[in-house]
Amino acid sequence: MPKDTLHGTLDALVLKTLTFGPRHGYAIVRWISQQTADALQVEEGSLYPALYRMERDGWIDAEWGTSELGRKAKYYHITEKGRRQLRAETKEFATFVKVVSPLLLPS
Amino acid sequence: MTARERKPLWRPTVADEVERELAFHLEMATRDLMERGMAEKQARAEAERRFGNVASVDTDCRRYAEERDQHRRRAEYRDELLQDIAFAWRQLVKTPTFAAITILTLALGIGATAAVFSILDAVALRPFPFEHPDRVTVVYPTDKGTPRSPSVPEFLALRGVRAFEQVAATVLQAGATLRIANGAPETVGAGRVTASYFDVFGVAPALGRSFTAAEDMPGAASVAVISDRLWRSHFNSEPSVIGRVVSLDGRPATIIGIMPRSFDITRESEDLWVPLALPPEAATRYSEHYIQVFARIRDGVTVAQAQAAATAAERALAEHIPDRDQPTASLGVVLHRYVDDFVGDYRTLLLILLGAVSLVLLIACTNVANLLLARGTARAKELAIRAALGAGRARLVRQLLTESMALALVGSVLGLALAFGLVKLVVAVSPTSVPRIEQAGVDWRVLLFTLGVGVASSIVFGLLPALRAAAGLTTVLREGGRGSRLGRDRLGGLLVTAEVALAITLLVGCGLLIRSALLIGHVDPGFDSRGVLTARLVLPEARYPDGASINRLYARVRESAARIPGVQATALTLLPPLSGDQMTSSVSAEGAPGNRSTLSSSLNLVSDGYFDAMHIRLLIGRDIDRHDVASSPNVVVLNQALARKLWPTRDLREALGRRINAMSFTKGEPHLMTVVGVVANLHNAALDQPPAPEFYAPVTQTPEKLWPITQRSMVVVLRAANREVDPDAFVRPLRDVIARTDPSLPIAEARSMESFRKSSLETARMNAILLSILGGIALVLAMSGIYGVVSYFVSQRIHEIGIRLALGATPGRVWGFVVRRGLVPILVGGAFGFALSIVATSVLQGQLYAVSTHDPATLSAVAATLFAVALMAMYLPARRAMRVPPIVALNDE
């Protein structure tokens, strides 16, 4: 997989996760692994820079709230711009899969 | 959601934010692992292992977070700016009169400044379209420091100077007869130039090519390079014109090139160029000084070095001149930068104009500042409320400045429209010799300048009122919204002081220039220009090879022209006064020892009856008459200045009968002429220059060698019997006369003597017109400024005035109270203004004619005008004050 598509995939996964409601960083990791039955482990070290980058670019926004354990946590939610980005990346991913699968997958 | 609403109540710093978030993550991960049965210590280690390099993640996150915050701050600023602009717009729309007055005032100031800048830019600031324009020089040999025109041998010597990359010789501003196909012959401005001419400027033809060295030889086929102007006006911008054959001075010539438009430097520069084709024998014509030499200095050589090298060449040449009678040490060469020679004077003039409009702009800004100050007081309450609602002081100043900026920008746009018109006006009243002025327009440079001026002026006029308004905030609510009145009064007075000072400075400058323009207009030129027509003829060499044939033609033309109805007198002259062209010759009195008595004088060739036709006074002796012919003894008439210089005695009669040597073409072979008369001085070069020595020789006794130099050209002078008649009416009959005499001859240039006189006044006239306009604007602005402040004062004190009147003050006393109040800043401003003008007008020194910078008449006229204007401005508000009904005193505000 080309690097930027991988990169884009993490973004898309995070954005997708947030479409189901605001979450803090750890919850995003957990949600993704749950949804994929632990098959997909998000690299935690690259998640946070990705979150901050997307926040800078206005795809997601954050607020400080209180977590389930009574601790202050940063909750992310998706913005309108983020939704547009997600749509674009989903489409790109679909194209990628369509182009690559005949090559890599046995017919 | 706007940036402001998003601002959370609690917000950690960036470092804190990232640290907390990562710590939270690790804690959650540790907890999860412990829930799966791991011991705390292990769980923690495992969580950290999974996370990876915390420090590097932390760095990345911080960087993104900082960028995020920066974006947000910018967005916030932008939002606030948009709010301010919207608010400013609403404010302006709410007070349309205020907005209109302010914007018009600013438009006037900004527009005038932009117009002058546009012209200055076109004429002097933009680099000339040459390759390294600063290396293009005009070369003048000097004798005892006095520059003169070079000779061909000098040109040839200069060509060998290594400091020069290219050297060109030219005879510029010569007329040529152009005939396209079978059209009417007409005279165009032609330059006869060596092949190197265009290389000196580093400009190649836009189309076609320039001359080859072979074409610049006598006997070569005739070729011509034409200007863009001629190409447009006569050839419809057809590229196919290259290779076309036209008739030039009666001979076929092939057009080989078209120069770019940028090479049309002035409106009177050459229409076409032909090769100079110097004949080999010209190399020894040491005493024919009639060419102009241009040189391009080699890269890396300074002007001083080039000048030294040229001087050495000049002296080396002089050593080889046979019959040299002068020490070579007195000879030299000066190089003038072409650009300076061309625009030097105009640059000064335009900078002065720019200074004058800047003063007008400053006055306009002062006025607007005053208006804003008055409005700031009126709006004090609104501002105080906004401040109470949480707007910071800086925020309010920013908002007020945004309003000022909005005013200035609208004013700039309107000013630009005004600048368009003003540029047209200035171009229309400017002398035709101002280089590149018709290229002046409103381009992006002018646009940028105007915007810059607009923004700068909004700060000049906006900052003070804004700071003032913000500073007064706390007191306002306490005072029930009346604002700090005394502070405003003082500030308003200060602004009037500044305004009056600026206006006085400007008016003194304008007054001096206008007065000197008027004085030049009243200079007695020494001849009567009214009812006189001049028409120059240029005779082709092929048909008029010698003096005899030339004189025959002119005599016939004169004879027939004398029969034109309404013509009282006819004459011929080589150079009419004030025509801008001059020829000089060295002159010495016969028998005078050595070179000490050799001096330089203007020369003129005239026919009999010339002094009569021009109404030039004969002081003593006799006029040139029809018996002075080629075969009779040579005679000459001097002007008083020359006679005085040659024989510095009191009695002009001393001069009569003596002989002078001038127009001698060969060393050791004097051309002697007997002085038969002395005429009064006349302004031959320019009205603002003192009359120079001049002598008049009969055209019939012209030395044969002079004819080729003057292109066998003379000017026919016709004087109308009635001086009020427009002499242009003679152009048609004169054309008919010439067509009957020789149908191939065109009139090179027909101009009334009055038009020569007027064009000599052009610069002075332009000064007078433009400065009158600027002075007028300044006066109106000063008047409205004073009016504003005094009437504001009255409206603020109406209560007090009412009490005074109720307590028995007479209207006279009230008048005094108001006027005194208004006069103090005016008098102080006046004093400052006159002091300032002493410094400022020193830049005018070179521009003034017969007026000193401290001219008492001008200074007192300015003072009186300003005082009168100030009184007029105060009259209405003062009258309102006198008529305040005492009942006002009882009403509360």
Side-chain angles (χ1 to χ4, degrees), chain A residues 28-82:
Chain A
I28 295 173
V29 177
R30 236 174 24 193
W31 195 84
I32 293 175
S33 52
Q34 276 166 14
Q35 293 305 304
T36 57
D38 285 343
L40 196 60
Q41 287 291 332
V42 172
E43 187 84 46
E44 293 171 23
S46 42
L47 172 72
Y48 283 95
L51 283 171
Y52 274 86
R53 181 171 36 72
M54 289 194 281
E55 192 188 0
R56 178 198 67 185
D57 294 341
W59 300 352
I60 56 178
D61 207 349
E63 256 152 40
W64 285 85
T66 313
S67 79
E68 50 271 46
L69 296 168
R71 294 278 312 269
K72 272 210 154 69
K74 201 176 163 197
Y75 282 86
Y76 292 94
H77 58 85
I78 190 166
T79 64
E80 192 38 54
K81 202 170 167 191

Side-chain angles (χ1 to χ4, degrees), chain B residues 797-810:
Chain B
R797 300 294 179 95
I798 205 119
H799 196 64
E800 183 185 337
I801 292 168
I803 293 174
R804 282 172 184 246
L805 283 168
L807 291 179
T810 59

Side-chain angles (χ1 to χ4, degrees), chain B residues 19-88:
Chain B
E19 204 190 305
R20 270 170 190 265
E21 191 173 9
L22 298 188
F24 175 75
H25 180 97
L26 287 174
E27 202 184 308
M28 291 297 283
T30 311
R31 275 188 73 101
D32 269 6
L33 289 169
M34 279 165 70
E35 268 170 25
R36 292 188 200 167
M38 231 181 248
E40 187 178 348
K41 225 174 167 185
Q42 276 172 307
R44 176 124 208 122
E46 175 63 12
E48 278 176 12
R49 192 194 58 77
R50 281 193 199 171
F51 194 88
N53 187 346
V54 181
S56 119
V57 169
D58 186 88
T59 316
D60 285 352
C61 290
R62 276 196 210 190
R63 197 186 63 212
Y64 288 134
E66 263 149 24
E67 284 171 11
R68 172 198 68 198
D69 287 356
Q70 204 181 345
H71 287 194
R72 283 186 182 163
R73 275 194 299 275
R74 265 188 222 145
E76 200 173 320
Y77 189 84
R78 203 174 46 230
D79 285 350
E80 284 179 7
L81 189 68
L82 286 175
Q83 277 177 10
D84 283 354
I85 290 172
F87 187 73

